[in-house]
């Protein structure tokens, strides 16, 4: 067999091998509604990855908690039983308390400071920590500034929260924050929240405007107070074991798509904040500004209490990006 025939034969073998590579189907879950910007951007991410890898990597979306609540998905990614998730990053603190730093109240006066922190050294430090638990954080999306809704009346100062039964996400930082503000907080899974508000189990809850609207909380709550008490990122994350099964070439495609749709989703979140206050008012909710300085002062003890938990390095990074222009 001459060299030309041998070369053609080898190309034929390689072509057969390439065409026989099995597509990798990856379930990606989140707890929010299909109308939320998370899901809309995740659809774009999945399509870009599918096209960019020529079908070799296929993310299949499961919204509305179909793969379980966030804690279940985090635990599943750690052991590989859940392939991928778009998770409110505070849900990672069940693995390591350091992840709770994303919950520090009144860390960011503007979301641009938060973007710089999580796309920079603060995000890098937390990504390295996630790898210790067999998880790959692809990019930092946005859950956004959280605000308080309730059925009692407008909240202008922390004193207006005194004794109010408020549902918070199941993490210690959020519980401590609202305890410091004088409320009576308790955790509850997100999927149970609407009915709990409807039945009067809680007087109040706290979430970004996008979730308040997409989850129809205007049907069971009367007031929105723009506390902006915390800005929380969302982590587009997958099992490290599964990530390692993707070729280096396709990993680059996935990473580029994750970064692209991170920026797209953040843009959607900003647009939501600009229009949703008006939309919620049209749905019958009363919206008010708050005395932000009074709220920020009331939670300074939370910062002091958690300084030792998070350590000087992570706390230093937060303070560094707080001062960034």
């Amino acid at each position: 067999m001459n060299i030309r025939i041998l070369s053609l034969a080898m190309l034929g073998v390689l072509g057969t091998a390439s065409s026989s590579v099995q597509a990798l189907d990856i379930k990606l879950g989140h707890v929010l509604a299909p109308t939320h910007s998370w899901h809309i951007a995740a659809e774009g991410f999945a399509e870009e990855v599918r096209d960019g890898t020529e079908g070799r990597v296929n993310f299949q979306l499961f919204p509305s908690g179909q793969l379980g609540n966030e804690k279940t998905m985090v635990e599943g990614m750690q052991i590989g039983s859940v392939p991928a998730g778009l998770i409110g990053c505070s849900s990672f603190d069940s693995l390591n308390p350091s992840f709770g730093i994303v919950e520090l109240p009144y860390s960011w006066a503007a979301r641009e400071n938060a973007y710089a922190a999580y796309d920079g050294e603060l995000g890098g430090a937390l990504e390295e920590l996630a790898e210790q638990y067999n998880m790959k954080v692809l990019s930092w999306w946005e859950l956004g500034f959280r605000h308080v809704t309730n059925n009692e009346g407008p909240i202008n100062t922390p004193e207006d929260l005194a004794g109010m039964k408020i549902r918070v996400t199941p993490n210690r930082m959020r519980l401590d924050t609202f305890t410091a503000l004088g409320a009576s907080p308790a955790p509850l899974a997100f999927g149970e929240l609407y009915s709990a508000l409807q039945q009067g189990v809680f007087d109040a809850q706290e979430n970004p405007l996008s979730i308040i609207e997409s989850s129809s909380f205007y049907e069971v709550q009367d007031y929105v107070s723009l506390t902006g008490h915390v800005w929380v990122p969302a982590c587009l994350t997958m099992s490290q074991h599964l990530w390692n099964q993707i070729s280096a070439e396709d990993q680059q495609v996935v990473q580029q798509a994750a970064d692209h749709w991170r920026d797209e989703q953040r843009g959607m979140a900003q647009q939501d904040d600009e229009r949703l206050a008006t939309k919620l008012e049209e749905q019958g909710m009363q919206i008010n500004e708050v005395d932000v300085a009074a709220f920020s002062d009331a939670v300074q003890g939370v910062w002091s209490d958690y300084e030792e938990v998070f350590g000087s390095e992570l706390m230093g990074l937060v303070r560094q990006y707080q001062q960034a222009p």
Side-chain angles (χ1 to χ4, degrees):
M1 181 179 292
N2 63 36
I3 294 176
R4 184 173 185 277
I5 294 174
L6 179 60
S7 297
L8 289 173
M10 289 299 295
L11 285 173
V13 170
L14 290 174
T16 301
S18 298
S19 63
S20 65
V21 172
Q22 186 174 2
L24 187 61
D25 294 328
I26 303 172
K27 293 181 178 180
L28 191 161
H30 65 82
V31 299
L32 299 185
T35 54
H36 192 271
S37 63
W38 278 14
H39 189 79
I40 296 168
E43 288 180 319
F45 164 73
E47 181 178 359
E48 185 171 325
V49 169
R50 183 168 55 251
D51 292 346
T53 63
E54 299 179 341
R56 293 184 295 274
V57 181
N58 297 303
F59 284 91
Q60 302 167 335
L61 305 186
F62 292 82
S64 305
Q66 294 179 51
L67 298 186
N69 62 30
E70 290 196 332
K71 181 180 179 181
T72 299
M73 284 191 284
V74 168
E75 292 173 349
M77 281 188 286
Q78 185 182 4
I79 63 174
S81 62
V82 173
L86 185 51
I87 310 289
C89 299
S90 58
S91 293
F92 286 85
D93 71 353
S94 61
L95 300 178
N96 189 301
S98 292
F99 285 111
I101 200 164
V102 304
E103 289 286 336
L104 272 174
Y106 293 101
S107 292
W108 314 112
R111 56 183 11 115
E112 288 74 20
N113 295 78
Y115 296 163
Y118 288 105
D119 295 344
E121 293 179 66
L122 179 59
L126 295 175
E127 287 167 22
E128 290 180 6
L129 188 59
E131 289 178 2
Q132 298 178 22
Y133 297 91
N134 303 315
M135 289 182 290
K136 168 72 175 177
V137 176
L138 295 171
S139 58
W140 300 84
W141 294 23
E142 178 167 356
L143 189 52
F145 286 105
R146 300 178 76 93
H147 307 290
V148 173
T149 72
N150 82 99
N151 279 332
E152 300 294 317
I155 295 167
N156 299 295
T157 66
E159 287 73 22
D160 296 323
L161 279 168
M164 189 174 289
K165 295 182 296 182
I166 182 169
R167 176 270 179 185
V168 298
T169 52
N171 65 75
R172 190 159 62 94
M173 173 73 76
R174 194 70 55 80
L175 287 163
D176 290 347
T177 295
F178 276 91
T179 298
L181 291 171
S184 180
L188 183 73
F190 181 79
E192 302 173 32
L193 179 53
Y194 183 97
S195 61
L197 294 170
Q198 187 177 42
Q199 295 165 15
V201 177
F202 289 96
D203 304 314
Q205 65 88 44
E206 44 86 42
N207 261 302
L209 295 181
S210 58
I211 294 180
I212 294 168
E213 192 277 332
S214 65
S215 301
S216 301
F217 289 155
Y218 52 80
E219 296 176 349
V220 291
Q221 297 273 269
D222 297 328
Y223 301 92
V224 181
S225 298
L226 300 176
T227 52
H229 48 277
V230 65
W231 184 95
V232 179
C235 300
L236 180 62
T237 312
M238 61 187 298
S239 161
Q240 184 71 52
H241 174 72
L242 194 59
W243 173 253
N244 293 339
Q245 293 182 41
I246 301 174
S247 70
E249 177 186 1
D250 287 345
Q251 283 181 352
Q252 184 175 8
V253 172
V254 174
Q255 187 62 65
Q256 289 175 344
D259 292 342
H260 173 208
W261 285 97
R262 170 202 66 199
D263 295 341
E264 292 291 330
Q265 190 271 330
R266 287 174 176 175
M268 294 179 201
Q270 293 179 40
Q271 292 172 6
D272 283 346
D273 277 359
E274 293 170 2
R275 69 178 178 83
L276 285 177
T278 299
K279 187 171 182 180
L280 290 170
E281 284 183 321
E282 292 172 351
Q283 296 287 355
M285 299 191 85
Q286 182 177 322
I287 298 179
N288 68 281
E289 301 284 345
V290 307
D291 184 348
V292 173
F295 277 85
S296 181
D297 288 345
V299 299
Q300 289 310 300
V302 176
W303 279 64
S304 299
D305 291 343
Y306 280 83
E307 184 92 28
E308 185 175 342
V309 175
F310 300 140
S312 60
E313 181 179 352
L314 287 180
M315 292 292 286
L317 288 173
V318 172
R319 293 188 173 102
Q320 171 188 324
Y321 286 100
Q322 277 185 315
Q323 305 304 317

